[in-house]
């Protein structure tokens, strides 16, 4: 069997109708002809399945070590389909600092359809166990699922998939992991005990800020049937052209992530030494053994930092020239954003502050540019901010800490 980096490029044989094309064709057909009324054709209608989507679904199933993959029109459509396999009255335990849109889908959509959602800090295993177990005497049955992100957004806290899965399975709960920030290049949650892994493929997998997509991989046939039902009946499938964009992005995943991680380390080290920076959140600077113990092969390409009191984070962000001020992450170009106003505005302020997403927190998604250009861009933006915020007091200048 070929190794991971080769699988990214050549994972599946290309069957191109004998033209010799090295890439799989894009089948832009919504419907497929039957040979006769009695025929049972492999393809009949493209929502139910089509060859271009199947190629991508098999590609991600192979890379995530699962039995079957599913492609959706967005990461949130993927999460919607996965959570739709549950029933009204089922209780889901969710990480307390998941992506704002996922939080909103759970708490503003699925709760209206009868799912009960409990939020916990998934790094605290005692809290996870208490939440999953429920309290049968009080009528709170054990949770049906635990939902969390491998590395949380935007504080980059590392969750221990293996330990959480071990607890969840004792109570019969399905373990659902959003692996968007990490990708199968850096971790395979199914190998660590998860049952379902999902991605906003919009991010690292597609990698070029040119497509919105979601992917799901399940570990067994029973879950595959339930997710397939949701995919086909809710209908949020990914169109053939977009499937091909994600397929192509995946081929260069390893190269991009290697450079993004190298650059992220350089930027994190630069920020740690900057007097206007109070704290840096990046797991890639800690001892590799820490990450390895949690099944991670690297810290990824996203990091966050807080500016010191008296500096308006907007004065840093509005003066960046190379970093684009934009939500999203995982693409070849570097992006910067203010979570409290942009990606995490859905969270009520008290909830945000409780989990540590302060008004001063800036998130960076590091691209594949030259690292020197990135740190120079930050340097000139800090100079502007220092000038604009004349209230910056000398006593606020402090040693940054790595969190
Ligand atoms: N999961 C995570 C961790 C995300 O960051 C995002 C989007 O930012 C999503 C899911 C939702 O994905 P999409 O925007 O593709 O719907």
């Amino acid at each position: 069997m070929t190794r991971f980096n080769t699988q990214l490029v050549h994972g599946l044989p290309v069957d191109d109708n004998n033209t010799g094309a090295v890439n799989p064709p894009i089948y832009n057909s919504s419907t497929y002809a039957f040979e006769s009324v009695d025929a049972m054709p492999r393809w009949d209608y493209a929502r139910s399945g089509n060859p271009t989507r199947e190629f991508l679904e098999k590609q991600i199933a192979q890379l995530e070590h699962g039995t079957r993959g599913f492609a959706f029109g967005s990461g949130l459509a993927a999460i919607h389909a996965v959570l739709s396999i549950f029933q009204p009255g089922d209780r889901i335990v969710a990480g307390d600092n998941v992506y704002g849109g996922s939080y909103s889908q759970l708490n503003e959509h699925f709760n209206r359809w009868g799912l009960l959602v409990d939020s916990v800090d998934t790094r605290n295993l005692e809290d996870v166990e208490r939440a999953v177990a429920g309290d049968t005497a009080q009528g709170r049955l054990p949770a049906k699922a635990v939902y969390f992100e491998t590395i949380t957004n935007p504080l980059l806290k590392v969750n221990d998939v293996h330990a959480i899965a071990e607890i969840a399975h004792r109570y019969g709960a399905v373990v659902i992991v959003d692996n968007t920030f990490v990708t199968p290049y850096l971790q395979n949650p199914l190998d660590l005990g998860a049952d379902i892994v999902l991605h906003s493929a919009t991010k690292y997998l597609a990698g070029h800020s040119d497509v919105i997509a979601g992917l799901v991989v399940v570990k067994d046939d029973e879950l595959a049937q339930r997710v397939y039902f949701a995919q086909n009946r809710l209908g949020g499938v990914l169109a053939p052209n977009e499937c091909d964009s994600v397929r192509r992005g995946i081929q260069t995943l390893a190269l991009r992530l290697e450079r993004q991680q190298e650059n992220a380390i350089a930027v994190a080290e630069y920020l740690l030494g900057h007097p206007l920076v109070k704290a840096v959140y990046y797991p890639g600077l800690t001892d590799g053994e820490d990450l390895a113990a949690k099944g991670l092969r690297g810290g990824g390409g996203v990091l966050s930092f807080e500016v010191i009191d008296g500096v308006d984070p907007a004065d840093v962000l509005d003066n960046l020239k190379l970093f684009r001020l934009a939500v999203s992450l995982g693409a070849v170009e570097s992006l910067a954003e203010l979570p409290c106003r942009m990606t995490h505005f859905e969270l009520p302020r008290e909830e945000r502050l409780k989990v540590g997403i302060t008004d001063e927190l800036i998130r960076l998604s590091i691209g594949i540019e030259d690292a020197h250009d990135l740190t120079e861009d930050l340097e000139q933006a800090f100079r502007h901010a220092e000038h604009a915020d004349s209230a910056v007091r000398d006593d606020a200048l402090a040693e940054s800490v790595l969190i």
Side-chain angles (χ1 to χ4, degrees), residues 2-223:
T2 52
R3 293 172 180 77
F4 186 85
N5 289 350
T6 309
Q7 280 179 5
L8 289 173
V9 186
H10 297 293
L12 302 176
V14 174
D15 173 8
D16 79 320
N17 304 329
N18 303 321
T19 64
V22 298
N23 287 316
I26 301 171
Y27 289 91
N28 271 326
S29 191
S30 58
T31 192
Y32 293 81
F34 286 51
E35 271 181 19
S36 70
V37 290
D38 295 328
M40 297 278 282
R42 168 67 187 85
W43 310 110
D44 54 9
Y45 185 61
R47 169 168 37 74
S48 308
N50 68 75
T52 315
R53 195 173 87 217
E54 186 189 70
F55 192 94
L56 172 64
E57 293 177 334
K58 285 188 164 167
Q59 193 183 18
I60 192 64
Q62 178 184 59
L63 298 173
E64 284 287 19
H65 304 167
T67 56
R68 185 159 171 193
F70 302 90
F72 294 89
S74 70
L76 279 186
I79 297 168
H80 181 227
V82 165
L83 294 176
S84 295
I85 71 174
F86 299 100
Q87 315 277 340
D90 285 353
R91 205 162 53 80
I92 311 289
V93 170
D96 67 0
N97 79 16
V98 294
Y99 165 63
S102 311
Y103 173 92
S104 164
Q105 189 180 100
L106 280 160
N107 291 287
E108 294 173 333
H109 172 77
F110 275 109
N111 67 342
R112 287 192 283 117
W113 292 88
L115 278 192
L116 309 171
V117 181
D118 286 333
S119 291
V120 293
D121 178 350
T122 36
R123 282 189 318 163
N124 183 330
L125 297 176
E126 280 173 18
D127 284 0
V128 171
E129 173 133 27
R130 208 170 301 120
V132 175
D135 185 350
T136 312
Q138 298 294 318
R140 275 178 85 241
L141 299 177
K144 289 285 196 239
V146 180
Y147 177 95
F148 61 98
E149 296 172 4
T150 337
I151 292 187
T152 66
N153 175 16
L155 291 170
L156 296 315
K157 293 181 184 166
V158 179
N159 278 311
D160 188 336
V161 178
H162 179 74
I164 295 169
E166 199 270 320
I167 294 169
H169 288 159
R170 264 194 270 131
Y171 297 90
V174 175
V175 176
I176 304 164
V177 176
D178 182 333
N179 205 26
T180 299
F181 270 51
V182 176
T183 84
Y185 183 60
L186 298 178
Q187 190 184 68
N188 297 99
L190 298 184
D191 291 348
L192 298 170
D195 303 297
I196 299 179
V197 58
L198 57 88
H199 290 269
S200 167
T202 312
K203 313 294 184 329
Y204 285 103
L205 296 178
H208 294 76
S209 300
D210 57 1
V211 60
I212 295 281
L215 291 172
V216 174
V217 179
V218 295
K219 70 138 207 251
D220 65 28
D221 293 342
E222 196 254 333
L223 285 170

Side-chain angles (χ1 to χ4, degrees), residues 71 77 92 117 137 146 169 204 219 249 257 287 292 294 311 350 365 394:
I92 311 289
V117 181
V146 180
H169 288 159
Y204 285 103
K219 70 138 207 251
L257 250 169
D287 188 19
K294 290 181 177 154
V311 174
E350 319 80 75
S365 168
D394 282 351

Side-chain angles (χ1 to χ4, degrees), residues 143-331:
K144 289 285 196 239
V146 180
Y147 177 95
F148 61 98
E149 296 172 4
T150 337
I151 292 187
T152 66
N153 175 16
L155 291 170
L156 296 315
K157 293 181 184 166
V158 179
N159 278 311
D160 188 336
V161 178
H162 179 74
I164 295 169
E166 199 270 320
I167 294 169
H169 288 159
R170 264 194 270 131
Y171 297 90
V174 175
V175 176
I176 304 164
V177 176
D178 182 333
N179 205 26
T180 299
F181 270 51
V182 176
T183 84
Y185 183 60
L186 298 178
Q187 190 184 68
N188 297 99
L190 298 184
D191 291 348
L192 298 170
D195 303 297
I196 299 179
V197 58
L198 57 88
H199 290 269
S200 167
T202 312
K203 313 294 184 329
Y204 285 103
L205 296 178
H208 294 76
S209 300
D210 57 1
V211 60
I212 295 281
L215 291 172
V216 174
V217 179
V218 295
K219 70 138 207 251
D220 65 28
D221 293 342
E222 196 254 333
L223 285 170
Q225 276 177 25
R226 292 164 75 188
V227 174
Y228 178 68
F229 181 84
Q231 183 190 41
N232 196 23
R233 288 295 163 256
L234 297 172
V237 294
L238 191 63
N241 277 301
E242 275 77 4
C243 287
D244 194 63
S245 296
V246 180
R247 175 201 66 75
R248 187 172 58 177
I250 286 175
Q251 289 185 302
T252 57
L253 176 70
L255 299 175
R256 288 183 282 110
L257 250 169
E258 275 303 314
R259 171 68 76 83
Q260 283 160 323
Q261 285 200 124
E262 260 173 45
N263 285 355
I265 289 170
V267 170
E269 282 171 347
Y270 160 78
L271 289 170
L272 267 175
H274 201 284
L276 296 194
V277 173
K278 188 159 70 179
V280 178
Y281 299 81
Y282 180 58
L285 276 190
T286 53
D287 188 19
E289 280 175 26
D290 251 21
L291 294 178
K294 290 181 177 154
L296 272 162
R297 297 180 281 270
V302 178
L303 57 92
S304 296
F305 66 97
E306 270 167 352
V307 289
I308 59 170
D309 299 343
V311 174
D312 183 347
D315 286 332
V316 179
L317 287 165
D318 288 343
N319 284 298
L320 288 167
K321 294 190 163 58
L322 198 60
F323 280 86
R324 306 301 301 273
L325 177 62
V327 299
S328 203
L329 57 105

